[in-house]
Amino acid sequence: QSALTQPASVSGSPGQSITISCTGTSSDVGNYNLVSWYQQHPGKAPKLLIYEVTKRPSGVSNRFSGSKSANTASLTISGLQTEDEADYYCCSYAGRSSLEVFGTGTKVTVL
Amino acid sequence: EVQLVESGGDLVKPGGSLRLSCAASGFTFSTYTMTWVRQPPGKGLEWVSSISSSTSYIHYADSMKGRFTISRDNAKNSLYLQMNNLRAEDTALYYCAREGYDSSGYSAYWGQGTLVTVSS
């Protein structure tokens, strides 16, 4: 099972909106509404931001939103803040044999 | 409060074995699928293995099949990963994670990780 494809880096100014794409195949992203997104600050454990494509866990800012179209999922961060500077990973269910596959990761820089 | 504490990481020679443990607290351990995810130094996340609440379903990433064994002791609120025939490419920070609900497919809570280094 190959990793999902994410852009290596995305940047934006404070207050702007940015979108991170996550491209898979019809065997993972395109076949299940089971895409999740994680935020990881340096030296820290990942934190769940989005699950089941669009749902936000309690406590996660509504500046984070998820969507999906065909084989590509997206994470949008609106009203970009300095604390949003981190690495972001998508993850998709990929069926009984491979179960879960992560994306390659995207480094978000706040200019 | 959900807490996951990994232990057992160490420096091991290629071909060696290691057993990782994850002590869980703050939730009813026996009702959740548990997962191991690893992260090589400076690289991205990689799903390793998952085990359902009753151990009915156990899954491994292809590169770990036959070498790694996941298990759990619901009476001890503990998750384990037995790693055999270790390779240099297994060097990583290994995270224990709890899924959102049994077989949910996403990891809602994560431990801080335990470092495994495979080197001669």
Side-chain angles (χ1 to χ4, degrees):
Chain A
Q1 183 71 34
S2 299
L4 308 176
T5 301
Q6 298 180 231
S9 62
V10 173
S11 61
S13 299
Q16 285 187 328
S17 292
I18 61 170
T19 296
I20 302 168
S21 62
C22 168
T23 301
T25 69
S26 57
S27 297
D28 38 63
V29 175
N31 200 34
Y32 307 97
N33 287 324
L34 293 172
V35 175
S36 51
W37 288 90
Y38 303 87
Q39 176 192 60
Q40 187 180 35
H41 286 106
K44 300 294 186 181
K47 172 189 173 184
L48 177 68
L49 290 179
I50 298 287
Y51 65 100
E52 295 173 359
V53 181
T54 62
K55 298 176 182 177
R56 266 189 320 273
S58 173
V60 171
S61 172
N62 59 9
R63 298 186 299 106
F64 296 93
S65 61
S67 63
K68 191 187 87 165
S69 177
N71 296 340
T72 298
S74 298
L75 174 72
T76 297
I77 308 174
S78 57
L80 201 60
Q81 298 180 1
T82 54
E83 60 258 37
D84 298 333
E85 195 161 280
D87 293 325
Y88 292 81
Y89 296 90
C90 61
C91 183
S92 175
Y93 179 75
R96 284 292 178 91
S97 59
S98 301
L99 210 67
E100 296 179 29
V101 58
F102 279 94
T104 50
T106 298
K107 182 175 181 59
V108 168
T109 301
V110 181
L111 302 171
Chain B
E1 179 193 3
V2 173
Q3 286 200 333
L4 299 167
V5 180
E6 304 93 337
S7 61
D10 204 349
L11 170 63
V12 61
K13 289 181 168 51
S17 297
L18 209 55
R19 188 194 197 207
L20 305 183
S21 299
C22 172
S25 61
F27 64 100
T28 306
F29 180 76
S30 61
T31 62
Y32 289 92
T33 292
M34 298 296 294
T35 291
W36 289 99
V37 175
R38 71 182 185 182
Q39 185 170 36
K43 296 189 177 181
L45 301 173
E46 181 182 21
W47 173 75
V48 173
S49 180
S50 295
I51 183 169
S52 63
S53 59
S54 61
T55 72
S56 298
Y57 300 107
I58 291 177
H59 303 272
Y60 301 96
D62 287 345
S63 60
M64 289 81 166
K65 284 178 183 174
R67 298 190 302 125
F68 289 11
T69 302
I70 192 172
S71 62
R72 63 191 295 161
D73 186 336
N74 287 342
K76 294 183 177 179
N77 291 341
S78 293
L79 175 72
Y80 307 101
L81 185 68
Q82 177 67 42
M83 304 185 295
N84 298 329
N85 191 20
L86 284 161
R87 308 165 180 166
E89 54 265 35
D90 295 319
T91 294
L93 188 62
Y94 284 73
Y95 291 104
C96 162
R98 193 208 88 178
E99 294 208 345
Y101 51 87
D102 207 21
S103 300
S104 67
Y106 67 90
S107 295
Y109 295 93
W110 298 65
Q112 289 304 306
T114 186
L115 182 62
V116 173
T117 304
V118 184
S119 174
S120 54

